[in-house]
mmCIF file with all atom_site columns, all heavy atoms in Angstrom:
data_model
loop_
_atom_site.group_PDB
_atom_site.id
_atom_site.type_symbol
_atom_site.label_atom_id
_atom_site.label_alt_id
_atom_site.label_comp_id
_atom_site.label_asym_id
_atom_site.label_entity_id
_atom_site.label_seq_id
_atom_site.pdbx_PDB_ins_code
_atom_site.Cartn_x
_atom_site.Cartn_y
_atom_site.Cartn_z
_atom_site.occupancy
_atom_site.B_iso_or_equiv
_atom_site.pdbx_formal_charge
_atom_site.auth_seq_id
_atom_site.auth_comp_id
_atom_site.auth_asym_id
_atom_site.auth_atom_id
_atom_site.pdbx_PDB_model_num
ATOM 1   N N   . LEU A 1 224 ? 2.829  -10.250 15.097 1.00 0.00 ? 224 LEU A N   1
ATOM 2   C CA  . LEU A 1 224 ? 2.370  -8.877  14.870 1.00 0.00 ? 224 LEU A CA  1
ATOM 3   C C   . LEU A 1 224 ? 1.863  -8.705  13.433 1.00 0.00 ? 224 LEU A C   1
ATOM 4   O O   . LEU A 1 224 ? 0.814  -8.095  13.209 1.00 0.00 ? 224 LEU A O   1
ATOM 5   C CB  . LEU A 1 224 ? 3.510  -7.898  15.162 1.00 0.00 ? 224 LEU A CB  1
ATOM 6   C CG  . LEU A 1 224 ? 3.203  -6.402  15.014 1.00 0.00 ? 224 LEU A CG  1
ATOM 7   C CD1 . LEU A 1 224 ? 4.066  -5.593  15.986 1.00 0.00 ? 224 LEU A CD1 1
ATOM 8   C CD2 . LEU A 1 224 ? 3.457  -5.890  13.595 1.00 0.00 ? 224 LEU A CD2 1
ATOM 9   N N   . LEU A 1 225 ? 2.601  -9.243  12.491 1.00 0.00 ? 225 LEU A N   1
ATOM 10  C CA  . LEU A 1 225 ? 2.195  -9.110  11.090 1.00 0.00 ? 225 LEU A CA  1
ATOM 11  C C   . LEU A 1 225 ? 0.877  -9.832  10.836 1.00 0.00 ? 225 LEU A C   1
ATOM 12  O O   . LEU A 1 225 ? 0.028  -9.350  10.082 1.00 0.00 ? 225 LEU A O   1
ATOM 13  C CB  . LEU A 1 225 ? 3.296  -9.646  10.175 1.00 0.00 ? 225 LEU A CB  1
ATOM 14  C CG  . LEU A 1 225 ? 4.604  -8.847  10.207 1.00 0.00 ? 225 LEU A CG  1
ATOM 15  C CD1 . LEU A 1 225 ? 5.677  -9.548  9.386  1.00 0.00 ? 225 LEU A CD1 1
ATOM 16  C CD2 . LEU A 1 225 ? 4.383  -7.435  9.689  1.00 0.00 ? 225 LEU A CD2 1
ATOM 17  N N   . ARG A 1 226 ? 0.715  -10.968 11.469 1.00 0.00 ? 226 ARG A N   1
ATOM 18  C CA  . ARG A 1 226 ? -0.553 -11.705 11.302 1.00 0.00 ? 226 ARG A CA  1
ATOM 19  C C   . ARG A 1 226 ? -1.713 -10.885 11.868 1.00 0.00 ? 226 ARG A C   1
ATOM 20  O O   . ARG A 1 226 ? -2.775 -10.770 11.248 1.00 0.00 ? 226 ARG A O   1
ATOM 21  C CB  . ARG A 1 226 ? -0.453 -13.061 12.015 1.00 0.00 ? 226 ARG A CB  1
ATOM 22  C CG  . ARG A 1 226 ? -1.638 -13.977 11.791 1.00 0.00 ? 226 ARG A CG  1
ATOM 23  C CD  . ARG A 1 226 ? -1.300 -15.389 12.224 1.00 0.00 ? 226 ARG A CD  1
ATOM 24  N NE  . ARG A 1 226 ? -0.983 -15.479 13.635 1.00 0.00 ? 226 ARG A NE  1
ATOM 25  C CZ  . ARG A 1 226 ? -1.880 -15.690 14.596 1.00 0.00 ? 226 ARG A CZ  1
ATOM 26  N NH1 . ARG A 1 226 ? -3.161 -15.832 14.288 1.00 0.00 ? 226 ARG A NH1 1
ATOM 27  N NH2 . ARG A 1 226 ? -1.515 -15.771 15.851 1.00 0.00 ? 226 ARG A NH2 1
ATOM 28  N N   . ARG A 1 227 ? -1.501 -10.260 13.022 1.00 0.00 ? 227 ARG A N   1
ATOM 29  C CA  . ARG A 1 227 ? -2.563 -9.428  13.612 1.00 0.00 ? 227 ARG A CA  1
ATOM 30  C C   . ARG A 1 227 ? -2.853 -8.209  12.745 1.00 0.00 ? 227 ARG A C   1
ATOM 31  O O   . ARG A 1 227 ? -3.979 -7.714  12.706 1.00 0.00 ? 227 ARG A O   1
ATOM 32  C CB  . ARG A 1 227 ? -2.159 -8.972  15.022 1.00 0.00 ? 227 ARG A CB  1
ATOM 33  C CG  . ARG A 1 227 ? -2.146 -10.078 16.061 1.00 0.00 ? 227 ARG A CG  1
ATOM 34  C CD  . ARG A 1 227 ? -2.086 -9.504  17.473 1.00 0.00 ? 227 ARG A CD  1
ATOM 35  N NE  . ARG A 1 227 ? -0.932 -8.639  17.671 1.00 0.00 ? 227 ARG A NE  1
ATOM 36  C CZ  . ARG A 1 227 ? 0.269  -9.050  18.068 1.00 0.00 ? 227 ARG A CZ  1
ATOM 37  N NH1 . ARG A 1 227 ? 0.469  -10.342 18.308 1.00 0.00 ? 227 ARG A NH1 1
ATOM 38  N NH2 . ARG A 1 227 ? 1.261  -8.199  18.242 1.00 0.00 ? 227 ARG A NH2 1
ATOM 39  N N   . ALA A 1 228 ? -1.828 -7.717  12.044 1.00 0.00 ? 228 ALA A N   1
ATOM 40  C CA  . ALA A 1 228 ? -2.016 -6.557  11.168 1.00 0.00 ? 228 ALA A CA  1
ATOM 41  C C   . ALA A 1 228 ? -2.797 -6.915  9.914  1.00 0.00 ? 228 ALA A C   1
ATOM 42  O O   . ALA A 1 228 ? -3.160 -6.024  9.139  1.00 0.00 ? 228 ALA A O   1
ATOM 43  C CB  . ALA A 1 228 ? -0.667 -5.960  10.794 1.00 0.00 ? 228 ALA A CB  1
ATOM 44  N N   . GLY A 1 229 ? -3.036 -8.198  9.704  1.00 0.00 ? 229 GLY A N   1
ATOM 45  C CA  . GLY A 1 229 ? -3.898 -8.620  8.603  1.00 0.00 ? 229 GLY A CA  1
ATOM 46  C C   . GLY A 1 229 ? -3.202 -8.816  7.280  1.00 0.00 ? 229 GLY A C   1
ATOM 47  O O   . GLY A 1 229 ? -3.870 -8.878  6.246  1.00 0.00 ? 229 GLY A O   1
ATOM 48  N N   . VAL A 1 230 ? -1.856 -8.903  7.279  1.00 0.00 ? 230 VAL A N   1
ATOM 49  C CA  . VAL A 1 230 ? -1.188 -9.124  6.001  1.00 0.00 ? 230 VAL A CA  1
ATOM 50  C C   . VAL A 1 230 ? -1.449 -10.556 5.533  1.00 0.00 ? 230 VAL A C   1
ATOM 51  O O   . VAL A 1 230 ? -1.691 -11.453 6.332  1.00 0.00 ? 230 VAL A O   1
ATOM 52  C CB  . VAL A 1 230 ? 0.328  -8.848  6.080  1.00 0.00 ? 230 VAL A CB  1
ATOM 53  C CG1 . VAL A 1 230 ? 0.597  -7.441  6.575  1.00 0.00 ? 230 VAL A CG1 1
ATOM 54  C CG2 . VAL A 1 230 ? 1.047  -9.875  6.931  1.00 0.00 ? 230 VAL A CG2 1
ATOM 55  N N   . THR A 1 231 ? -1.399 -10.750 4.228  1.00 0.00 ? 231 THR A N   1
ATOM 56  C CA  . THR A 1 231 ? -1.721 -12.048 3.644  1.00 0.00 ? 231 THR A CA  1
ATOM 57  C C   . THR A 1 231 ? -0.540 -12.993 3.673  1.00 0.00 ? 231 THR A C   1
ATOM 58  O O   . THR A 1 231 ? -0.707 -14.211 3.716  1.00 0.00 ? 231 THR A O   1
ATOM 59  C CB  . THR A 1 231 ? -2.156 -11.868 2.171  1.00 0.00 ? 231 THR A CB  1
ATOM 60  O OG1 . THR A 1 231 ? -2.903 -10.666 2.053  1.00 0.00 ? 231 THR A OG1 1
ATOM 61  C CG2 . THR A 1 231 ? -2.991 -13.021 1.694  1.00 0.00 ? 231 THR A CG2 1
ATOM 62  N N   . GLY A 1 232 ? 0.673  -12.440 3.601  1.00 0.00 ? 232 GLY A N   1
ATOM 63  C CA  . GLY A 1 232 ? 1.861  -13.277 3.561  1.00 0.00 ? 232 GLY A CA  1
ATOM 64  C C   . GLY A 1 232 ? 3.043  -12.597 4.218  1.00 0.00 ? 232 GLY A C   1
ATOM 65  O O   . GLY A 1 232 ? 3.082  -11.376 4.377  1.00 0.00 ? 232 GLY A O   1
ATOM 66  N N   . VAL A 1 233 ? 4.029  -13.421 4.607  1.00 0.00 ? 233 VAL A N   1
ATOM 67  C CA  . VAL A 1 233 ? 5.273  -12.919 5.197  1.00 0.00 ? 233 VAL A CA  1
ATOM 68  C C   . VAL A 1 233 ? 6.431  -13.515 4.413  1.00 0.00 ? 233 VAL A C   1
ATOM 69  O O   . VAL A 1 233 ? 6.491  -14.725 4.196  1.00 0.00 ? 233 VAL A O   1
ATOM 70  C CB  . VAL A 1 233 ? 5.393  -13.294 6.686  1.00 0.00 ? 233 VAL A CB  1
ATOM 71  C CG1 . VAL A 1 233 ? 6.690  -12.732 7.261  1.00 0.00 ? 233 VAL A CG1 1
ATOM 72  C CG2 . VAL A 1 233 ? 4.195  -12.774 7.473  1.00 0.00 ? 233 VAL A CG2 1
ATOM 73  N N   . SER A 1 234 ? 7.348  -12.635 3.984  1.00 0.00 ? 234 SER A N   1
ATOM 74  C CA  . SER A 1 234 ? 8.518  -13.029 3.199  1.00 0.00 ? 234 SER A CA  1
ATOM 75  C C   . SER A 1 234 ? 9.757  -12.847 4.069  1.00 0.00 ? 234 SER A C   1
ATOM 76  O O   . SER A 1 234 ? 9.949  -11.783 4.666  1.00 0.00 ? 234 SER A O   1
ATOM 77  C CB  . SER A 1 234 ? 8.595  -12.151 1.939  1.00 0.00 ? 234 SER A CB  1
ATOM 78  O OG  . SER A 1 234 ? 9.812  -12.330 1.263  1.00 0.00 ? 234 SER A OG  1
ATOM 79  N N   . PHE A 1 235 ? 10.627 -13.868 4.124  1.00 0.00 ? 235 PHE A N   1
ATOM 80  C CA  . PHE A 1 235 ? 11.734 -13.837 5.086  1.00 0.00 ? 235 PHE A CA  1
ATOM 81  C C   . PHE A 1 235 ? 12.901 -14.687 4.605  1.00 0.00 ? 235 PHE A C   1
ATOM 82  O O   . PHE A 1 235 ? 12.751 -15.545 3.725  1.00 0.00 ? 235 PHE A O   1
ATOM 83  C CB  . PHE A 1 235 ? 11.255 -14.342 6.452  1.00 0.00 ? 235 PHE A CB  1
ATOM 84  C CG  . PHE A 1 235 ? 10.612 -15.708 6.400  1.00 0.00 ? 235 PHE A CG  1
ATOM 85  C CD1 . PHE A 1 235 ? 11.349 -16.859 6.662  1.00 0.00 ? 235 PHE A CD1 1
ATOM 86  C CD2 . PHE A 1 235 ? 9.275  -15.850 6.059  1.00 0.00 ? 235 PHE A CD2 1
ATOM 87  C CE1 . PHE A 1 235 ? 10.761 -18.111 6.579  1.00 0.00 ? 235 PHE A CE1 1
ATOM 88  C CE2 . PHE A 1 235 ? 8.685  -17.104 5.989  1.00 0.00 ? 235 PHE A CE2 1
ATOM 89  C CZ  . PHE A 1 235 ? 9.430  -18.239 6.252  1.00 0.00 ? 235 PHE A CZ  1
ATOM 90  N N   . ASP A 1 236 ? 14.066 -14.438 5.199  1.00 0.00 ? 236 ASP A N   1
ATOM 91  C CA  . ASP A 1 236 ? 15.267 -15.228 4.947  1.00 0.00 ? 236 ASP A CA  1
ATOM 92  C C   . ASP A 1 236 ? 15.169 -16.482 5.797  1.00 0.00 ? 236 ASP A C   1
ATOM 93  O O   . ASP A 1 236 ? 15.290 -16.429 7.021  1.00 0.00 ? 236 ASP A O   1
ATOM 94  C CB  . ASP A 1 236 ? 16.503 -14.391 5.315  1.00 0.00 ? 236 ASP A CB  1
ATOM 95  C CG  . ASP A 1 236 ? 17.819 -15.121 5.070  1.00 0.00 ? 236 ASP A CG  1
ATOM 96  O OD1 . ASP A 1 236 ? 17.807 -16.359 4.916  1.00 0.00 ? 236 ASP A OD1 1
ATOM 97  O OD2 . ASP A 1 236 ? 18.862 -14.450 5.051  1.00 0.00 ? 236 ASP A OD2 1
ATOM 98  N N   . PHE A 1 237 ? 14.972 -17.612 5.140  1.00 0.00 ? 237 PHE A N   1
ATOM 99  C CA  . PHE A 1 237 ? 14.735 -18.862 5.877  1.00 0.00 ? 237 PHE A CA  1
ATOM 100 C C   . PHE A 1 237 ? 15.924 -19.233 6.758  1.00 0.00 ? 237 PHE A C   1
ATOM 101 O O   . PHE A 1 237 ? 15.755 -19.824 7.828  1.00 0.00 ? 237 PHE A O   1
ATOM 102 C CB  . PHE A 1 237 ? 14.432 -19.991 4.888  1.00 0.00 ? 237 PHE A CB  1
ATOM 103 C CG  . PHE A 1 237 ? 13.890 -21.228 5.536  1.00 0.00 ? 237 PHE A CG  1
ATOM 104 C CD1 . PHE A 1 237 ? 12.527 -21.356 5.787  1.00 0.00 ? 237 PHE A CD1 1
ATOM 105 C CD2 . PHE A 1 237 ? 14.738 -22.262 5.911  1.00 0.00 ? 237 PHE A CD2 1
ATOM 106 C CE1 . PHE A 1 237 ? 12.030 -22.498 6.411  1.00 0.00 ? 237 PHE A CE1 1
ATOM 107 C CE2 . PHE A 1 237 ? 14.243 -23.400 6.523  1.00 0.00 ? 237 PHE A CE2 1
ATOM 108 C CZ  . PHE A 1 237 ? 12.890 -23.519 6.768  1.00 0.00 ? 237 PHE A CZ  1
ATOM 109 N N   . SER A 1 238 ? 17.137 -18.873 6.333  1.00 0.00 ? 238 SER A N   1
ATOM 110 C CA  . SER A 1 238 ? 18.328 -19.268 7.089  1.00 0.00 ? 238 SER A CA  1
ATOM 111 C C   . SER A 1 238 ? 18.412 -18.584 8.449  1.00 0.00 ? 238 SER A C   1
ATOM 112 O O   . SER A 1 238 ? 19.179 -19.017 9.320  1.00 0.00 ? 238 SER A O   1
ATOM 113 C CB  . SER A 1 238 ? 19.591 -18.967 6.281  1.00 0.00 ? 238 SER A CB  1
ATOM 114 O OG  . SER A 1 238 ? 19.816 -17.566 6.193  1.00 0.00 ? 238 SER A OG  1
ATOM 115 N N   . LEU A 1 239 ? 17.647 -17.505 8.650  1.00 0.00 ? 239 LEU A N   1
ATOM 116 C CA  . LEU A 1 239 ? 17.697 -16.759 9.915  1.00 0.00 ? 239 LEU A CA  1
ATOM 117 C C   . LEU A 1 239 ? 16.671 -17.246 10.934 1.00 0.00 ? 239 LEU A C   1
ATOM 118 O O   . LEU A 1 239 ? 16.636 -16.763 12.061 1.00 0.00 ? 239 LEU A O   1
ATOM 119 C CB  . LEU A 1 239 ? 17.477 -15.262 9.653  1.00 0.00 ? 239 LEU A CB  1
ATOM 120 C CG  . LEU A 1 239 ? 18.538 -14.582 8.784  1.00 0.00 ? 239 LEU A CG  1
ATOM 121 C CD1 . LEU A 1 239 ? 18.186 -13.114 8.571  1.00 0.00 ? 239 LEU A CD1 1
ATOM 122 C CD2 . LEU A 1 239 ? 19.928 -14.712 9.397  1.00 0.00 ? 239 LEU A CD2 1
ATOM 123 N N   . LEU A 1 240 ? 15.825 -18.193 10.544 1.00 0.00 ? 240 LEU A N   1
ATOM 124 C CA  . LEU A 1 240 ? 14.838 -18.725 11.490 1.00 0.00 ? 240 LEU A CA  1
ATOM 125 C C   . LEU A 1 240 ? 15.529 -19.510 12.597 1.00 0.00 ? 240 LEU A C   1
ATOM 126 O O   . LEU A 1 240 ? 16.560 -20.147 12.385 1.00 0.00 ? 240 LEU A O   1
ATOM 127 C CB  . LEU A 1 240 ? 13.851 -19.657 10.780 1.00 0.00 ? 240 LEU A CB  1
ATOM 128 C CG  . LEU A 1 240 ? 12.849 -19.057 9.794  1.00 0.00 ? 240 LEU A CG  1
ATOM 129 C CD1 . LEU A 1 240 ? 11.928 -20.151 9.288  1.00 0.00 ? 240 LEU A CD1 1
ATOM 130 C CD2 . LEU A 1 240 ? 12.049 -17.936 10.429 1.00 0.00 ? 240 LEU A CD2 1
ATOM 131 N N   . THR A 1 241 ? 14.937 -19.473 13.783 1.00 0.00 ? 241 THR A N   1
ATOM 132 C CA  . THR A 1 241 ? 15.356 -20.350 14.874 1.00 0.00 ? 241 THR A CA  1
ATOM 133 C C   . THR A 1 241 ? 14.117 -21.073 15.383 1.00 0.00 ? 241 THR A C   1
ATOM 134 O O   . THR A 1 241 ? 12.985 -20.734 15.013 1.00 0.00 ? 241 THR A O   1
ATOM 135 C CB  . THR A 1 241 ? 15.993 -19.553 16.029 1.00 0.00 ? 241 THR A CB  1
ATOM 136 O OG1 . THR A 1 241 ? 14.952 -18.779 16.678 1.00 0.00 ? 241 THR A OG1 1
ATOM 137 C CG2 . THR A 1 241 ? 17.069 -18.597 15.518 1.00 0.00 ? 241 THR A CG2 1
ATOM 138 N N   . GLU A 1 242 ? 14.322 -22.059 16.232 1.00 0.00 ? 242 GLU A N   1
ATOM 139 C CA  . GLU A 1 242 ? 13.173 -22.800 16.754 1.00 0.00 ? 242 GLU A CA  1
ATOM 140 C C   . GLU A 1 242 ? 12.282 -21.912 17.614 1.00 0.00 ? 242 GLU A C   1
ATOM 141 O O   . GLU A 1 242 ? 11.122 -22.249 17.864 1.00 0.00 ? 242 GLU A O   1
ATOM 142 C CB  . GLU A 1 242 ? 13.645 -24.042 17.526 1.00 0.00 ? 242 GLU A CB  1
ATOM 143 C CG  . GLU A 1 242 ? 14.270 -25.089 16.607 1.00 0.00 ? 242 GLU A CG  1
ATOM 144 C CD  . GLU A 1 242 ? 14.401 -26.456 17.249 1.00 0.00 ? 242 GLU A CD  1
ATOM 145 O OE1 . GLU A 1 242 ? 13.772 -26.680 18.312 1.00 0.00 ? 242 GLU A OE1 1
ATOM 146 O OE2 . GLU A 1 242 ? 15.126 -27.300 16.692 1.00 0.00 ? 242 GLU A OE2 1
#
Side-chain angles (χ1 to χ4, degrees):
L224 182 150
L225 294 174
R226 186 166 62 89
R227 290 194 303 272
V230 304
T231 323
V233 181
S234 170
F235 55 95
D236 181 343
F237 192 86
S238 70
L239 297 179
L240 291 184
T241 70
E242 292 196 14

